[in-house]
Amino acid sequence: MSAPIISLESLAKTTSSGQLLTSAKSGGCASSSCGLSSRPTHMDSATWEKIKDHPCFSEEAHHYFARMHVAVAPACNIQCNYCNRKYDCSNESRPGVVSEKLTPDQALRKVIAVANELPQLSVLGIAGPGDACYDWEKTRATFERVAREIPDIKLCISTNGLALPEHVDQLAELNISHVTITINMVDPAVGEKIYPWIFYRHRRYTGMDAAKILHERQMLGLEMLSERGILTKINSVMIPGVNDQHLIEVNKWVKERGAFLHNVMPLISDPAHGTCFGLTGQRGPNALELKALQDRLEGGAKLMRHCRQCRADAVGLLGTDRGQEFTLDHIPPELGYNSGKRRAYREVVARILDDHLAAKNQAMTTLASMSTRGSLQVAVATKGGGRINEHFGHAKEFQVYEASLTGIKFVGHRKIEPYCRGGWGEEGTLGGIIAALEGIDVVLCAKIGNCPKKQLMEAGIRATEAFGYDYIEAAISALYAAEHGIDPSQATA
């Protein structure tokens, strides 16, 4: 029997761990290990334990689990042409951006406050706003404090890799299980177009010399992490005309050196940010260009397609940043950690994940049994939990899936301004949403009004609420079958 629909949003707001445990046990599961049945058959148990609740390293986990970044490492040892850490807007999501910098003690207070309030929290990361390895003492002190108070939280860092090799042994000693390295090139001739300078061993290097040193240090750090069994994700910024074609070579290099994931992200380029690329008019790729490159990389290092290019102080599920709720002025000076709510949430999610997996497997079986051809591009409005559970007018992004006879795969997301604006500006906003949905065949959402539905149809995009609150893969499978005149219930007969 399928598990009843449980709103993860309502679970997160539940104040009693006892209520959460009741929900968990009502499905016949009172053990946090029951979710292990969701492990992919090709993955060993040790790796699965590391990624099953890490929203950045697992596409499935990002529907259920949250991360938070603490901005304790402001110092940086390189300059990137796409970065300006002095610019901040609390309403934007962009790497390197923060609203307030923290000391290690302040960071501990913030992590405890978030863990008590947000049961989805599973990962603490340090992603700057500078470089976590270069500003090492603050990074180390923060992780030591948090690990003592919340020993079950996963720890990870993001780094440019220049100072990484000298800290790999310490990372292992601190039980930091996940590391992200930003690698934009493996050819220094490409690198000197991206990095004006680096600061290495008390000296500033520029041009080809800087790019060569950075490349060598990045490769060494990646190899050292792989040797120690620390999972690595490689972030690469796609810069049209600079490294877009070169990223095919980057993918080969990092796969050979043991990278677990490769995340190709679009360049964010806006003159208002004050970056070199923004001020010189270097454009970023559009959604179709990004997808085309990612598709070319299939078969190489495994791709991450669900990245949201988070702020260095992000809090919450990917795509839903609650960081402004947890600034220091909102946090009591003294507070203790209560593990009950997070533990109970995990037990609820373990049961839901098994049900979701069963629905997903059935959807894949249905598609595999068909003899039709062609693909379907589907945009989904979701709040999380793997379901179609967001109103069209409230969506801030759409998750994009591609359905074909080979299966249903997540291929990216499209950020938008919400359509519902209190009666002001909806028409202008809808135009932007339609532009963002270029290449999409169908939009699935929990609810949609007649006016936007009609205008989407006029733009060649169908929208339906017929699958509201269904699991995403089950809905797409049924939709794909219906598109080809097949009764889904008969597809596997």
Side-chain angles (χ1 to χ4, degrees), residues 328-339:
L328 291 178
D329 58 326
H330 289 92
I331 300 173
E334 300 290 338
L335 72 170
Y337 172 56
N338 184 344
S339 64

Side-chain angles (χ1 to χ4, degrees), residues 198-262:
I198 69 168
F199 189 75
Y200 177 61
R201 292 184 177 174
H202 311 292
R203 178 181 168 186
R204 180 175 292 208
Y205 294 83
T206 61
M208 186 71 77
D209 289 338
K212 185 174 184 293
I213 293 169
L214 179 61
H215 165 59
E216 291 173 351
R217 298 288 288 176
Q218 289 176 336
M219 295 301 107
L220 175 60
L222 173 57
E223 291 167 356
M224 292 175 70
L225 291 169
S226 297
E227 288 171 359
R228 287 158 178 78
I230 298 174
L231 292 188
T232 53
K233 173 169 65 73
I234 306 304
N235 282 355
S236 297
V237 180
M238 179 183 176
I239 311 166
V242 176
N243 73 341
D244 47 348
Q245 300 305 309
H246 179 61
L247 290 180
I248 297 170
E249 193 67 19
V250 172
N251 184 271
K252 294 177 182 177
W253 277 63
V254 301
K255 180 181 181 181
E256 291 170 356
R257 287 158 179 80
F260 180 75
L261 281 178
H262 190 194

